Amino acid sequence: MKKAFLLLSVFLTCSIFAQQNQPEPGTYISNTKSGENVKLVIGENNQFHITLLSGKLEQQNDSIYLRTQYDNESLFQVEFVTSTTKPKSIKMDFGKNSYYNLYDMHLGVQKINDSSPEYKAVSEYLGIKEEAYEYIEDDEQNFSFEIEPVAFIYLVNESYNGATIEKFEVPNGVSEIKVLKRNDLFSKLNLRGKYDANTKEFTVSEGRKPIVFVKEETKGTATTFIQPLEAQQKKMWTYPGKEERYIGVDTAAVAYDYDNQKPPYVFKLKTEKSFNESLKIAQSSPDKILVVFYDTSKNASKAFEKYIQRYEIQVQSYMYDQYDPKLDRFNFYLATESDKNALKKMGITDNETVVFINSDGTKIHHCKGSTKSYDYNYYKLSSYYKKLITINSKAQLDKIIADKKATVPQIEKALLEVVNNERIYADWDDMPPPTVEPAAVEYEKYAVVTDSISVDDYSEELPEIKNAYQLKSSSEAVDLKYKQLLDFYLNEKNLNDNMVKIIVSELSYDNGFTAKLFNKSNQAAKPTDFLSMDYLFRFYNEIATLKTEDYYLENPQLVINTVSGILDRPSNDFQKEKIKEYYNKLLQVSNQNPRVSRSRINSFLQSKSKTELVSAYDNYFKSFVKPNSSLIETLDANYQLEKAPDWDLYKVEFSNLANEVAWFIVENSQDKTEIQKAIQWSEMSLKLKTNDPYYLDTLAQLYYKNGEKEKGILFEQKAIESAKIVDDTLIDTYETVLEKMKNGTY
């Protein structure tokens, strides 16, 4: 192995010093803690060079490694301050520092050598949360905190290369530990200097932090820092309770992993020389978007070339040692004067325009911009991607709707793309007319504004969103294709996962293709919705065992919740018989599931169908309340069966429904049999939720209507007393009822 010293120097000719304060020739060494032993050599004729880095060359076969002097030095410079008395705590002093310099640092403490280190982020010790970073000034300040006496400390620094972990033994009597992390000074510096002839110190500053160089023979004894007991480098490092943080990536270069000998993947883009060639390439990449920069300026070609180089570096910094298609989402082309006519056909006439084109050659969006704009670098384009494929899903759907020969898989794929993506409207004025009541429209606007789904959990609004592709197909035409899809799969023997996703989304409040494309939410169930429910009923048992990570399909009672949701819509009032028919189907396939029964009862409450309501609730009530049986035990068994999320809420839901049905009888019935049944339901609700003023008022009025006037008056008084504690706004209403009961005008 050959060994040699490597010396990296900066040479400049300098004649800035006045003769009377001219520094003496020789070698000067920095005496600041963060100076990294930087050497300043001043020669004759005012020439100087600064040695920033030195070390050894090591040769292995055909490879030469540049091992710097820092390879064997600790990252953290640690000093111990001892006390004559036994300290109750240890001060961790990070000195004057920038908060950002401490962001990726962690501290581990170990009271005895055999125990596991307990780690916390330094920022957690300092009590500053991550979201506060953007509000913190980058000015330096003193940072310190107290810890209990320990036997060992672990100082950790995380970076995109991994974690550096250094262990230090803490002697008895240490009251303070001073910590300094070695700084990197190898950045571009704007140097200025001042020489003191008396002290022979040469101070060099780049505008903020001066470095003081002392002539080598006059430099005092350097501080000897504590050396760590152990030092490790780990790619993946964590500890229990550690908050995961984003560690920045160095986009200037891709690190080489010498240990694994895996060279970085070299990412290169191929740009075509003609517009037609670019469109052909786009056609072969259906998941990618073609970005066309239309620029006829003199320097457009050079600017485009630089843009592509920057883009390649940025993508490469994320790919590491292998290609990742998720990071390669765009093709690029520079359009010039020769492409003027082709772009004009797409409606593009302005110079410095960015055009986004799909694999079919359809323009899906355009906006002002150029290769010099920050809005079109790799990071911004990545954040636009989800919006662009959402817009593209409309263009793809239009293509399928217009194609009379479109196959079932093509229709399925087009609708699934719409369902999987968010919805985008250029402006409220561009939205189709609402089909629901004003209150629902207000909610819908809120839902659209806050909707944010993206490939990387991050999506930015596209510039000039009004220029985005607009769907041309009508809701009737889309629904017709959807019926074609349903007719086909209703005759299939096996469950289709994609159909479940499309159907569940479409039957939900605002996640389906109808809601996303046409702003139609909470509308009455239409013929294709009933066909959709038939599909869910047919494969009810298979869907219950469906394993998927899709959040739409996670619920174990997916079919029940989905079907109940659409059947319960108030807009279905005109088709009561159809709703009743499908509730009966749902009850049958779910084996009389109690949750379905409750939903069906609620639908009767909404439609004010008294006969059906009394019959349905009486059967439901008898399934829970049986002679010589415990109501709580029965409820608990059903709670377990339904896999309800919360036991207390489950009881409240049960008792509230009993009270609502009983109150319906108060307001809508004079039938003694119905009133007596309602008394049983109301009494049961109070067993689960005693002293509820609403329940007490309901029972009081039922007693009174049943001819039990004294009991009615007694329970109305109880309702008033309970209202004084629970809700005093009810008192006046209840007192009015009580007065009518007493004077016989009820």
Side-chain angles (χ1 to χ4, degrees):
M1 180 187 296
K2 283 189 177 181
K3 292 186 178 181
F5 283 95
L6 172 69
L7 191 64
L8 300 183
S9 304
V10 178
F11 293 94
L12 282 176
T13 300
C14 182
S15 58
I16 60 172
F17 307 111
Q19 291 295 322
Q20 64 272 21
N21 288 326
Q22 184 171 342
E24 297 178 5
T27 300
Y28 297 79
I29 301 175
S30 62
N31 69 354
T32 54
K33 289 183 179 179
S34 59
E36 310 284 11
N37 295 325
V38 177
K39 293 182 180 181
L40 170 65
V41 180
I42 300 177
E44 302 297 333
N45 301 321
N46 289 336
Q47 289 186 331
F48 73 90
H49 64 265
I50 297 176
T51 303
L52 300 178
L53 190 63
S54 61
K56 295 180 181 180
L57 295 178
E58 293 181 5
Q59 186 165 350
Q60 296 178 8
N61 299 323
D62 293 333
S63 299
I64 298 176
Y65 297 93
L66 284 69
R67 306 299 190 190
T68 72
Q69 74 269 30
Y70 305 122
D71 286 351
N72 298 318
E73 291 186 13
S74 62
L75 175 65
F76 297 100
Q77 298 171 347
V78 173
E79 292 182 71
F80 292 138
V81 178
T82 56
S83 173
T84 54
T85 58
K86 185 178 181 181
K88 295 182 179 179
S89 63
I90 297 175
K91 178 182 179 181
M92 295 297 303
D93 186 0
F94 290 86
K96 195 168 187 180
N97 222 317
S98 164
Y99 192 78
Y100 292 94
N101 196 38
L102 303 178
Y103 173 67
D104 296 326
M105 288 179 59
H106 301 259
L107 174 65
V109 295
Q110 196 175 15
K111 293 186 177 180
I112 57 174
N113 199 22
D114 294 336
S115 64
S116 298
E118 297 177 7
Y119 288 101
K120 282 171 64 174
V122 170
S123 60
E124 190 175 346
Y125 276 109
L126 294 171
I128 302 179
K129 296 182 178 179
E130 184 175 351
E131 55 266 26
Y133 271 88
E134 59 184 296
Y135 305 108
I136 298 175
E137 302 263 337
D138 196 21
D139 294 336
E140 291 190 341
Q141 52 184 298
N142 289 308
F143 288 103
S144 65
F145 52 83
E146 303 283 333
I147 62 171
E148 293 181 358
V150 293
F152 304 91
I153 62 168
Y154 293 76
L155 294 171
V156 184
N157 186 72
E158 281 191 287
S159 71
Y160 65 93
N161 282 326
T164 300
I165 310 159
E166 295 181 355
K167 178 182 179 180
F168 297 85
E169 183 175 8
V170 182
N172 292 329
V174 169
S175 60
E176 181 179 358
I177 302 176
K178 296 181 179 181
V179 179
L180 181 68
K181 185 173 72 173
R182 261 199 296 111
N183 294 321
D184 181 11
L185 298 179
F186 311 133
S187 58
K188 293 182 180 179
L189 302 175
N190 181 20
L191 297 174
R192 294 183 63 184
K194 183 179 179 182
Y195 179 70
D196 189 325
N198 294 323
T199 61
K200 294 186 179 181
E201 290 182 345
F202 180 42
T203 303
V204 178
S205 171
E206 41 80 29
R208 287 187 61 189
K209 303 173 184 177
I211 304 172
V212 179
F213 295 90
V214 181
K215 198 174 180 184
E216 198 164 26
E217 63 264 28
T218 61
K219 185 173 187 250
T221 303
T223 303
T224 301
F225 296 108
I226 307 300
Q227 293 302 306
L229 296 176
E230 299 172 8
Q232 304 176 51
Q233 189 71 29
K234 292 187 177 182
K235 282 282 186 185
M236 302 299 292
W237 176 77
T238 188
Y239 55 85
K242 180 176 179 288
E243 178 184 356
E244 293 304 318
R245 294 177 169 186
Y246 170 78
I247 305 298
V249 176
D250 182 2
T251 60
V254 179
Y256 190 95
D257 186 348
Y258 288 104
D259 293 332
N260 297 317
Q261 296 291 305
K262 289 184 178 180
Y265 176 79
V266 179
F267 176 75
K268 289 293 180 184
L269 284 166
K270 186 177 182 296
T271 56
E272 308 308 316
K273 295 182 179 180
S274 72
F275 192 28
N276 286 336
E277 286 298 317
S278 292
L279 292 176
K280 286 181 182 178
I281 295 299
Q283 198 171 24
S284 65
S285 308
D287 294 328
K288 297 175 73 172
I289 303 294
L290 174 61
V291 183
V292 176
F293 291 100
Y294 179 40
D295 190 347
T296 61
S297 63
K298 181 180 178 181
N299 297 320
S301 181
K302 287 186 178 180
F304 180 70
E305 186 178 337
K306 287 183 178 179
Y307 170 85
I308 294 298
Q309 289 174 353
R310 287 197 305 270
Y311 190 90
E312 289 171 340
I313 290 173
Q314 290 166 341
V315 175
Q316 184 173 324
S317 68
Y318 283 98
M319 286 194 180
Y320 302 106
D321 60 352
Q322 62 183 354
Y323 176 76
D324 185 350
K326 292 180 182 178
L327 301 172
D328 184 16
R329 297 165 174 158
F330 298 95
N331 292 322
F332 298 91
Y333 175 70
L334 175 65
T336 56
E337 192 68 33
S338 61
D339 304 306
K340 184 176 181 180
N341 291 333
L343 290 172
K344 189 175 181 180
K345 292 178 181 179
M346 292 184 172
I348 306 301
T349 56
D350 294 337
N351 194 28
E352 291 199 352
T353 299
V354 185
V355 188
F356 299 93
I357 299 173
N358 70 6
S359 59
D360 296 327
T362 302
K363 183 196 74 174
I364 58 175
H365 185 55
H366 74 273
C367 47
K368 291 293 293 180
S370 71
T371 55
K372 300 174 184 177
S373 173
Y374 172 77
D375 285 336
Y376 306 103
N377 67 13
Y378 167 72
Y379 309 105
K380 281 283 189 175
L381 281 181
S382 297
S383 72
Y384 295 155
Y385 182 73
K386 185 62 181 182
K387 291 286 193 299
L388 289 167
I389 62 171
T390 294
I391 296 167
N392 186 41
S393 68
K394 296 180 181 181
Q396 297 295 335
L397 183 62
D398 269 339
K399 178 184 175 183
I400 295 301
I401 299 301
D403 184 1
K404 293 181 180 180
K405 296 182 179 180
T407 64
V408 165
Q410 288 175 327
I411 299 169
E412 177 188 322
K413 181 182 178 183
L415 289 177
L416 189 64
E417 283 298 310
V418 175
V419 167
N420 282 336
N421 294 324
E422 58 185 303
R423 49 186 166 167
I424 303 174
Y425 289 111
D427 197 294
W428 296 119
D429 296 335
D430 298 330
M431 293 169 69
T435 59
V436 291
E437 59 273 22
V441 173
E442 290 302 314
Y443 173 83
E444 184 66 15
K445 285 186 178 183
Y446 178 79
V448 173
V449 171
T450 58
D451 194 12
S452 179
I453 309 171
S454 74
V455 173
D456 295 320
D457 297 326
Y458 176 65
S459 179
E460 280 199 27
E461 293 299 329
L462 281 167
E464 302 176 56
I465 190 65
K466 285 188 176 183
N467 294 334
Y469 181 95
Q470 295 297 311
L471 186 75
K472 298 177 177 61
S473 304
S474 66
S475 60
E476 291 77 15
V478 175
D479 205 47
L480 195 61
K481 287 290 186 184
Y482 181 46
K483 184 178 184 303
Q484 181 182 338
L485 193 65
L486 287 165
D487 288 341
F488 175 84
Y489 279 114
L490 277 167
N491 290 309
E492 288 290 288
K493 293 182 179 180
N494 298 319
L495 174 70
N496 181 289
D497 293 5
N498 287 339
M499 277 304 294
V500 177
K501 171 72 180 291
I502 293 169
I503 288 172
V504 170
S505 301
E506 180 64 5
L507 297 183
S508 67
Y509 177 76
D510 63 352
N511 287 320
F513 57 84
T514 301
K516 290 179 177 179
L517 295 173
F518 305 105
N519 191 34
K520 292 182 179 180
S521 298
N522 208 27
Q523 61 180 353
K526 54 188 186 294
T528 49
D529 292 332
F530 289 110
L531 287 175
S532 298
M533 287 183 264
D534 286 336
Y535 185 85
L536 297 182
F537 294 157
R538 179 174 179 185
F539 295 102
Y540 181 88
N541 293 325
E542 289 90 337
I543 293 171
T545 61
L546 192 63
K547 292 183 178 180
T548 173
E549 294 181 357
D550 194 309
Y551 76 93
Y552 284 117
L553 313 180
E554 280 181 352
N555 196 301
Q557 300 198 51
L558 179 68
V559 175
I560 292 174
N561 294 341
T562 301
V563 174
S564 298
I566 189 168
L567 292 180
D568 286 346
R569 291 180 184 175
S571 49
N572 287 322
D573 192 53
F574 69 94
Q575 47 186 351
K576 293 180 182 178
E577 290 304 314
K578 194 77 171 176
I579 299 304
K580 191 191 305 181
E581 174 192 347
Y582 272 76
Y583 254 124
N584 289 336
K585 286 184 177 182
L586 182 59
L587 271 173
Q588 184 177 353
V589 298
S590 67
N591 195 27
Q592 306 296 314
N593 187 285
R595 194 179 196 86
V596 179
S597 296
R598 290 196 298 275
S599 295
R600 182 165 170 257
I601 290 163
N602 276 314
S603 74
F604 290 141
L605 277 169
Q606 291 176 12
S607 63
K608 298 186 183 301
S609 304
K610 188 181 75 167
T611 303
E612 288 91 346
L613 173 64
V614 172
S615 174
Y617 191 78
D618 192 41
N619 290 333
Y620 176 72
F621 178 78
K622 287 176 180 176
S623 69
F624 281 88
V625 182
K626 298 177 181 178
N628 303 319
S629 67
S630 166
L631 172 61
I632 294 296
E633 288 181 2
T634 306
L635 275 177
D636 183 60
N638 280 277
Y639 164 75
Q640 301 291 341
L641 177 67
E642 295 181 45
K643 298 180 180 179
D646 186 276
W647 166 239
D648 290 330
L649 288 177
Y650 186 75
K651 288 190 296 181
V652 169
E653 181 183 0
F654 182 80
S655 55
N656 278 347
L657 183 60
N659 181 67
E660 285 183 45
V661 178
W663 180 251
F664 180 89
I665 299 301
V666 171
E667 293 189 311
N668 297 283
S669 180
Q670 299 298 327
D671 185 281
K672 284 285 185 179
T673 302
E674 292 176 348
I675 291 172
Q676 287 167 6
K677 286 182 178 180
I679 287 174
Q680 295 179 53
W681 305 337
S682 182
E683 288 174 339
M684 186 269 298
S685 70
L686 280 162
K687 288 181 180 179
L688 296 173
K689 198 176 179 185
T690 58
N691 297 322
D692 185 291
Y694 296 96
Y695 297 1
L696 289 166
D697 174 59
T698 299
L699 183 57
Q701 296 195 48
L702 285 169
Y703 280 145
Y704 198 91
K705 293 185 75 169
N706 195 44
E708 301 174 83
K709 296 183 178 180
E710 290 184 2
K711 288 181 74 173
I713 291 171
L714 174 63
F715 273 81
E716 195 63 38
Q717 288 172 333
K718 289 183 178 181
I720 293 169
E721 292 302 315
S722 179
K724 290 177 182 178
I725 300 171
V726 177
D727 186 356
D728 58 9
T729 62
L730 301 171
I731 295 174
D732 289 344
T733 301
Y734 292 171
E735 285 182 342
T736 300
V737 172
L738 180 62
E739 186 63 29
K740 288 180 179 181
M741 286 179 173
K742 287 181 176 180
N743 61 30
T745 59
Y746 176 86

